[in-house]
Amino acid sequence: MGLFDNAVPGGNITKPLMIALGALLVGKMLSGRSEEPASPQAPAPTPTGADTSADGGLLGGLGGLLDKLKGAGHGNVADSWVGTGQNQPINANDLGSALGPAVIREIAQRTGMNEQELLQQLSTALPGIVDKLTPNGQIPQNHQVASAFNS
């Protein structure tokens, strides 16, 4: 997978996990329908309480995800992923609380995963993925994140 090699323990990012990460970080660019030919589709309804921005995923991109974590009291954890030091882990339940039930429900529906398994995989993958997306401690623009997922 290029950029994301070794980003998660075991080095294996499954397709459902990539869809989940894409839903969080790049929105409509990864809809879980990659096997179908591109065709105009009605936009998916926005879950109540979920923020969206152009190509920025359910939370407005990587910056929005980090803001959600900081707002839920996990700023030190989120900062460790962006910074150059050791990535701190996040508990699956803490991640779920930070993202909110509407966002988790939406992503679970997109991936076909149950919510608890989704949170477990996201809590394992996000520290490494965010770390890989922020190699210089800088949060990239949404289009740069989208490019990383498309490469």
Side-chain angles (χ1 to χ4, degrees):
M1 183 125 293
L3 175 69
F4 301 126
D5 288 347
N6 303 318
V8 297
N12 185 17
I13 299 179
T14 63
K15 183 176 178 179
L17 183 57
M18 281 302 292
I19 292 168
L21 292 165
L24 277 176
L25 302 174
V26 295
K28 67 182 179 180
M29 300 196 73
L30 291 175
S31 66
R33 297 184 177 92
S34 59
E35 307 83 25
E36 297 177 11
S39 63
Q41 296 178 355
T46 302
T48 306
D51 302 319
T52 60
S53 66
D55 290 347
L58 294 174
L59 301 174
L62 180 56
L65 169 65
L66 296 172
D67 288 344
K68 276 281 203 189
L69 291 167
K70 290 176 183 180
H74 303 291
N76 289 341
V77 171
D79 289 344
S80 78
W81 303 348
V82 175
T84 56
Q86 183 72 25
N87 294 330
Q88 294 180 27
I90 190 164
N91 177 284
N93 292 331
D94 291 341
L95 180 62
S97 296
L99 298 179
V103 169
I104 297 304
R105 189 169 30 258
E106 171 72 14
I107 297 171
Q109 288 173 350
R110 289 185 189 196
T111 62
M113 297 171 72
N114 74 52
E115 294 178 16
Q116 197 56 46
E117 177 65 19
L118 171 71
L119 284 171
Q120 190 61 51
Q121 287 193 30
L122 281 176
S123 68
T124 301
L126 274 175
I129 297 294
V130 172
D131 187 59
K132 293 283 187 181
L133 290 170
T134 58
N136 301 315
Q138 299 293 317
I139 298 171
Q141 298 292 319
N142 288 343
H143 72 276
Q144 293 169 310
V145 174
S147 293
F149 274 86
N150 289 329
S151 61

